């Protein structure tokens, strides 16, 4: 079905879905405050629109009023849990009274960049993108006006440069855009995995340069980073993902195992926890079965066709491989290294969708993993707001983490796969 071309570009259907979504919010506002209606459909909206953006612009106002000149522990930016280096943007003249205009403007840029990146769609692909773009995590990003929506657009521009530029100088400019996005918000630095597209020696050189520069910046700012990390208690927010979120859910579950009330057993609570345990065990069983099957396949590829001898068939030459690598790098970094982040960062997985859909249509060795990744992505985009008291969403994210890592390994450049093959084939091959 995904291979079938449509007469009309499916992006028109995506735009129609978005207009319908916001039109519904507008109509609902005549009967109930729109933020309350938004909560009903899974978005934890607040009364004041673009509240995250307003906080940043308020910090700019604060910086101008106080005349703070130091970039170290600037109190105006500590309160929003951002590095005080953000005070260098005060010269832009942005003020808190610009919140609504800028919030709408950034949202429009976000949608335009996305529509350009995803390219022409058929009807089936349009349904997938409409589901994702209208999902609670994406709408939460738009509703908050969080700076991540600007970072997303920034990275989108960098990806378009990388994909369409043959000249190295333009790709280097794009890599610098990603690097500076990492300096601003840290997590985009994982997207620099896209430099793996370069030839081996150039990749190693760029990796050494960017790694040294980022580590130097991080060490110089480590005191402020600790202050920022302690300022926001993300553990109190259920709309999140990462390996720590899974452990927190388990911790909460174990702490609530007391099934008695006043000396009497709570039957309803007992039944609920029995169902909880059964669902969790079944999900873990399916995940374990999947991991074992993929490990067996990995053994076979290491000993057989893990390294492609036909450059035309190499997964490294896939059309949207750079998009996939950046999105996967950011997701894996957020999940494994940062460990606990707000769910609106799932939005960066949109960059991976063009390649995932393309692999599904090609029917190659990544078609099945891509299909499972697509299902897991749609599931986790809707699971958090409606299944937040359960482990289901976190287990889905664990599955997605493993699956994307597996796909990333199989789509590595051939020179890197050859290196892995030499190092691991003797250990894992039958």
């Amino acid at each position: 079905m995904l291979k079938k071309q449509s007469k009309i570009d499916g992006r028109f259907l995506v735009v129609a879905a978005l207009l319908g979504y916001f039109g519904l919010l507008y109509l609902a506002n005549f009967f109930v405050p729109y933020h309350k209606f938004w909560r009903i459909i899974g978005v934890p909206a607040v009364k004041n629109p673009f509240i995250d953006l307003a906080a940043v612009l308020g910090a700019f106002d604060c910086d101008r009023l106080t005349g703070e000149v130091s970039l170290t522990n600037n109190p105006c930016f500590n309160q929003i849990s951002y590095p005080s280096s953000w005070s260098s943007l005060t010269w832009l003249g942005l003020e808190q009274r610009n919140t609504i205009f800028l919030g709408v403007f950034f949202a429009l840029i976000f949608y335009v960049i996305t529509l350009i990146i995803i390219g022409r769609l058929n009807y089936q692909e349009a349904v997938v993108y409409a589901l994702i773009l209208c999902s609670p995590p994406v709408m939460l990003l738009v509703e908050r006006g969080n700076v991540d929506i600007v970072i997303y657009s920034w990275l989108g521009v960098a990806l378009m440069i990388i994909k369409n530029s043959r000249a190295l100088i333009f790709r280097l400019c794009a890599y610098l855009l990603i690097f500076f996005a990492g300096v601003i918000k840290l997590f985009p630095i994982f997207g620099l995995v896209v430099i793996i597209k370069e030839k081996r020696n150039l990749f190693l050189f760029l990796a050494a340069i960017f790694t040294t520069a980022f580590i130097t910046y991080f060490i110089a700012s480590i005191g402020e980073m600790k202050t920022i990390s302690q300022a926001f208690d993300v553990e109190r927010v259920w709309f999140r993902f990462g390996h720590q979120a899974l452990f927190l859910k388990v911790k909460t579950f174990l702490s609530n195992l007391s099934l008695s009330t006043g000396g009497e057993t709570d039957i309803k609570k007992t039944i609920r926890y029995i169902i909880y345990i059964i669902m969790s065990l079944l999900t873990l069983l399916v995940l374990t079965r999947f991991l074992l099957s993929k490990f067996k396949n990995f053994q076979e590829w290491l000993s057989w066709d893990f390294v492609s001898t036909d450059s035309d068939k190499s997964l490294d030459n896939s059309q949207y491989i750079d998009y996939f690598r950046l999105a996967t790098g950011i997701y894996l970094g957020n999940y494994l290294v940062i460990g606990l982040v707000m769910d609106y960062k799932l939005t960066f997985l949109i960059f991976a969708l063009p390649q995932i859909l393309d692999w599904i249509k090609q029917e190659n060795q990544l078609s099945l993993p891509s299909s499972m990744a697509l299902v897991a992505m749609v599931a986790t985009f809707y699971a958090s707001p409606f299944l937040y008291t359960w482990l289901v969403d976190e287990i889905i994210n664990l599955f997605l983490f493993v699956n994307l890592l597996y796909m990333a390994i199989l789509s590595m450049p051939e020179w890197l796969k050859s290196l892995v093959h030499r190092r691991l084939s003797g250990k894992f091959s039958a």
Side-chain angles (χ1 to χ4, degrees):
M1 292 180 64
L2 288 175
K3 292 183 178 181
K4 188 176 180 180
Q5 294 296 320
S6 57
K7 295 181 180 179
I8 301 175
D9 190 338
R11 285 179 291 184
F12 287 108
L13 297 180
V14 176
V15 172
L18 290 170
L19 292 176
Y21 186 101
F22 287 109
L24 181 62
L25 282 178
Y26 177 76
L27 292 175
N29 197 50
F30 288 103
F31 306 97
V32 62
Y34 83 94
H35 66 279
K36 292 184 178 180
F37 180 79
W38 225 342
R39 285 179 173 271
I40 294 174
I41 55 178
V43 180
V46 293
K47 185 176 181 179
N48 297 323
F50 308 122
I51 189 172
D52 287 0
L53 177 59
V56 174
L57 297 178
F60 290 150
D61 288 339
C62 168
D63 189 58
R64 277 188 290 267
L65 289 172
T66 58
E68 180 66 53
V69 293
S70 172
L71 295 184
T72 305
N73 296 322
N74 188 323
C76 295
F77 294 89
N78 286 345
Q79 63 187 353
I80 58 171
S81 302
Y82 282 13
S84 54
S85 57
W86 275 67
S87 63
S88 61
L89 299 176
T90 303
W91 66 271
L92 292 173
L94 302 178
E95 302 176 0
Q96 196 168 43
R97 64 180 181 179
N98 305 134
T99 298
I100 300 298
F101 170 78
L102 289 175
V104 173
F105 176 75
F106 291 149
L108 289 175
I109 294 297
F110 162 75
Y111 288 123
V112 169
I113 291 291
T114 300
L115 291 173
I116 293 174
I117 282 178
I118 63 181
R120 182 183 174 87
L121 307 174
N122 60 28
Y123 298 143
Q124 291 76 26
E125 292 169 326
V127 171
V128 172
Y129 281 104
L131 284 172
I132 294 296
L133 289 174
C134 294
S135 65
V138 177
M139 285 301 175
L140 178 61
L141 179 62
V142 174
E143 186 270 340
R144 288 289 195 269
N146 189 273
V147 173
D148 284 358
I149 201 170
V150 179
I151 297 295
Y152 175 98
S153 302
W154 189 331
L155 296 181
V157 172
L159 282 174
M160 287 188 282
I161 295 173
I162 293 170
K163 182 178 182 295
N164 299 308
S165 298
R166 294 185 178 181
L168 176 60
I169 185 64
F170 292 113
R171 295 200 302 276
L172 288 176
C173 291
Y175 299 150
L176 284 173
L177 284 176
I178 299 173
F179 176 80
F180 285 120
V183 170
I184 290 173
K185 283 294 295 276
L186 296 186
F187 76 90
I189 200 67
F190 300 116
L192 266 180
V193 70
V194 294
I195 64 175
I196 205 172
K197 73 173 285 141
E198 304 296 342
K199 293 181 180 179
R200 178 178 178 177
N201 290 340
L202 180 57
F203 163 73
L204 294 175
F205 174 74
L206 292 176
I209 293 295
F210 284 126
T211 301
T212 302
F214 186 77
I215 290 177
T216 301
Y217 165 75
F218 188 83
I219 291 176
S221 309
I222 196 165
E224 192 172 35
M225 297 301 176
K226 289 181 179 179
T227 302
I228 291 172
S229 64
Q230 296 169 357
F232 181 58
D233 185 11
V234 74
E235 293 187 11
R236 298 179 58 187
V237 182
W238 54 262
F239 215 75
R240 65 200 178 198
F241 74 95
H243 73 272
Q244 293 183 40
L246 180 61
F247 293 128
L248 286 172
K249 290 284 180 68
V250 173
K251 179 181 178 181
T252 302
F253 169 72
L254 294 176
S255 66
N256 292 329
L257 275 181
S258 176
L259 303 178
S260 61
T261 303
E264 297 181 0
T265 301
D266 188 336
I267 301 299
K268 291 183 178 180
K269 195 172 184 179
T270 302
I271 295 174
R272 185 167 68 250
Y273 278 116
I274 290 174
I275 296 174
Y276 191 111
I277 292 171
I278 292 174
M279 288 183 63
S280 299
L281 289 176
L282 287 175
T283 307
L284 287 172
L285 180 63
V286 172
L287 178 61
T288 302
R289 179 68 183 86
F290 169 77
L291 292 177
L292 290 175
S293 67
K294 291 308 169 187
F295 181 73
K296 182 179 179 180
N297 290 339
F298 190 53
Q299 287 181 306
E300 294 174 356
W301 280 315
L302 279 175
S303 60
W304 184 246
D305 61 351
F306 179 66
V307 181
S308 175
T309 56
D310 187 348
S311 60
D312 292 332
K313 295 182 179 179
S314 173
L315 294 170
D316 184 37
N317 294 327
S318 300
Q319 185 178 6
Y320 301 103
I321 189 65
D322 300 316
Y323 295 2
F324 174 81
R325 285 172 177 161
L326 180 136
T328 300
I330 289 177
Y331 179 82
L332 298 182
N334 276 327
Y335 189 95
L336 187 63
V337 180
I338 298 179
L340 196 64
V341 293
M342 295 289 289
D343 265 0
Y344 50 64
K345 282 186 170 57
L346 289 170
T347 302
F348 291 88
L349 282 173
I350 293 174
F351 290 136
L353 279 176
Q355 186 57 69
I356 287 175
L357 292 170
D358 192 50
W359 277 331
I360 293 174
K361 290 184 285 186
Q362 288 179 20
E363 298 181 358
N364 56 26
Q365 58 186 335
L366 285 182
S367 294
L368 179 58
S370 295
S371 298
M372 292 188 290
L374 180 61
V375 173
M377 284 171 61
V378 175
T380 192
F381 269 83
Y382 283 89
S384 279
F386 304 111
L387 296 173
Y388 67 90
T389 57
W390 297 80
L391 281 170
V392 175
D393 180 42
E394 307 312 330
I395 294 177
I396 292 173
N397 272 282
L398 176 59
F399 168 81
L400 184 59
F401 171 86
V402 174
N403 198 33
L404 288 177
L405 178 61
Y406 172 77
M407 295 166 65
I409 292 174
L410 291 186
S411 59
M412 292 188 301
E414 295 305 319
W415 66 265
L416 186 55
K417 291 170 77 172
S418 298
L419 179 62
V420 172
H421 185 271
R422 290 197 300 269
R423 295 293 181 89
L424 299 182
S425 59
K427 298 180 180 180
F428 293 109
S429 298

